[in-house]
Amino acid sequence: MNFSSSASMRNELDPDRLPKHVAIIMDGNGRWAKKRLLNRINGHEKGADAVRTIVKSARKFNIAALTLYAFSTENWQRPHAEISGLMLLLRRFLASERQTLVENEIRLNTIGQIERLPEAVRESLEAVMDATANNKKMVLNLALSYGARVEIVEMVKQIAAKTLNGAIDPAGITQKTVADHLYTRGMPDVDLLIRTSGEMRISNFLLWQIAYSEIFFTPTLWPDFGEDEFVAILNDYQHRERRFGAIPPT
Ligand code: IPE
Ligand code: IPE
Ligand code: MG
């Protein structure tokens, strides 16, 4: 795809019609590496560079929340060497980006079964979350050991326990009760969901939160995804009519 016209597109973005919450399924690192006869880890390294770029872009366009699917509950099935390579990369990423996040007033947050991550990774995450805790301009949500079905099961368990101890009246359970017991509590719903690499599936990502998201699939492999394509997608998003089941005003 050619995104060379994006400099003008960037200027055309309407700041009042930008998504508040963008979520990305960053897929295709392995295929990117395979095409170059490289190791899958090399693909993940390049993928981390694309993350750096898109975090900066999202901040520049004043997007309030960016959620990145970095490691799923299903990804634990991958070979040990790939998993440990990814965990090492994550620690390196956190160390190298800490200052950028602080300077750009971005708060780091995680969603997923963080307790399953190696201790060294959890410590790196804690350190950056502490250093960025008071930042208000954007939240960067890293989905790590994340699975939407596990998230839903956890939500049900919490609500069930609260109904048993009387903290919640079952008859009073609303959509807000559910949303308040998900990892994403307090965040706006996802306005725009992007998946790279040409796969047309959700792969157990944010099932509740994408109920009314605009979805954009691109064949670009994640390491090749850059600001120009991001801007083109934001532009496309701004030209969609979000009706939410209603009839547009005439
Ligand atoms: C996405 O790239 C990154 C993770 C899932 C961790 P993949 O590793 O899934 O790359 P492909 O899909 O094999 O190309
Ligand atoms: C989804 O990609 C998970 C992440 C991007 C972290 P996968 O490559 O794991 O998903 P499938 O196997 O194509 O469904
Ligand atoms: Mg994949």
Side-chain angles (χ1 to χ4, degrees), residues 25-31 40 44 75 78 195-197 199 201 203:
I25 303 173
M26 311 183 290
D27 197 14
N29 296 350
R31 277 161 284 170
R40 291 181 63 85
H44 296 312
N75 289 151
R78 294 194 180 190
R195 184 175 187 142
T196 59
S197 91
E199 306 294 0
R201 56 177 167 262
S203 301

Side-chain angles (χ1 to χ4, degrees), residues 186-198:
M187 288 172 208
D189 274 345
V190 175
D191 297 301
L192 172 63
L193 173 69
I194 300 169
R195 184 175 187 142
T196 59
S197 91

Side-chain angles (χ1 to χ4, degrees), residues 17 37 43 51 60 75 106 113 115 119 122 124 128 140 144 151 174 176 183 190 193 203-204 229 235 241 243 246 250:
R17 295 199 50 182
L37 305 177
V51 172
K60 189 161 80 185
N75 289 151
I106 300 168
Q113 294 179 307
E115 66 281 2
E119 196 180 344
R122 280 185 277 132
S124 304
V128 181
L140 170 62
L144 292 166
E151 179 180 34
T174 62
K176 186 168 185 315
Y183 300 131
V190 175
L193 173 69
S203 301
N204 200 16
E229 184 164 9
N235 210 288
E241 184 179 51
R243 289 191 288 275
T250 45

Side-chain angles (χ1 to χ4, degrees), residues 27-246:
D27 197 14
N29 296 350
R31 277 161 284 170
W32 184 94
K34 193 172 182 192
K35 264 176 39 183
R36 289 163 180 78
L37 305 177
L38 295 169
N39 187 293
R40 291 181 63 85
I41 293 295
N42 299 124
H44 296 312
E45 277 167 4
K46 270 301 225 187
D49 291 340
V51 172
R52 290 182 177 91
T53 305
I54 296 309
V55 169
K56 281 193 201 125
S57 301
R59 175 66 197 87
K60 189 161 80 185
F61 299 128
N62 271 318
I63 286 161
L66 176 67
T67 300
L68 301 177
Y69 205 4
F71 194 83
S72 73
T73 46
E74 289 71 26
N75 289 151
W76 288 114
Q77 301 169 75
R78 294 194 180 190
H80 179 77
E82 181 169 352
I83 295 176
S84 45
L86 277 165
M87 295 299 152
L88 185 62
L89 255 178
L90 178 57
R91 284 172 60 199
R92 276 203 212 131
F93 174 85
L94 292 165
S96 69
E97 293 317 283
R98 178 182 174 138
Q99 200 49 34
T100 311
L101 298 180
V102 170
E103 282 166 11
N104 290 283
E105 295 177 69
I106 300 168
R107 179 167 66 88
L108 179 74
N109 185 52
T110 56
I111 59 172
Q113 294 179 307
I114 301 308
E115 66 281 2
R116 290 180 75 181
L117 300 173
E119 196 180 344
V121 172
R122 280 185 277 132
E123 282 170 4
S124 304
L125 285 166
E126 284 294 334
V128 181
M129 286 194 288
D130 284 350
T132 62
N134 295 318
N135 291 350
K136 301 265 186 293
K137 298 273 196 218
M138 182 173 108
V139 51
L140 170 62
N141 261 326
L142 288 185
L144 292 166
S145 189
Y146 174 88
R149 288 187 164 184
V150 167
E151 179 180 34
I152 288 169
V153 169
E154 287 305 315
M155 173 270 292
V156 171
K157 280 187 187 162
Q158 285 175 35
I159 295 179
K162 288 187 188 176
T163 60
L164 270 183
N165 72 19
I168 289 180
D169 168 13
I173 294 174
T174 62
Q175 294 190 22
K176 186 168 185 315
T177 318
V178 171
D180 286 348
H181 290 83
L182 295 173
Y183 300 131
T184 49
R185 66 188 69 95
M187 288 172 208
D189 274 345
V190 175
D191 297 301
L192 172 63
L193 173 69
I194 300 169
R195 184 175 187 142
T196 59
S197 91
E199 306 294 0
M200 309 264 188
R201 56 177 167 262
I202 300 299
S203 301
N204 200 16
F205 194 39
L206 301 174
L207 294 179
W208 171 274
Q209 300 87 340
I210 62 166
Y212 245 112
S213 302
E214 295 298 323
I215 303 186
F216 201 102
F217 293 104
T218 168
T220 305
L221 301 175
W222 176 251
D224 292 326
F225 191 82
E227 178 164 294
D228 287 356
E229 184 164 9
F230 189 40
V231 170
I233 292 172
L234 291 172
N235 210 288
D236 179 281
Y237 169 86
Q238 296 200 325
H239 289 91
R240 295 191 190 184
E241 184 179 51
R242 302 189 75 193
R243 289 191 288 275
F244 298 99

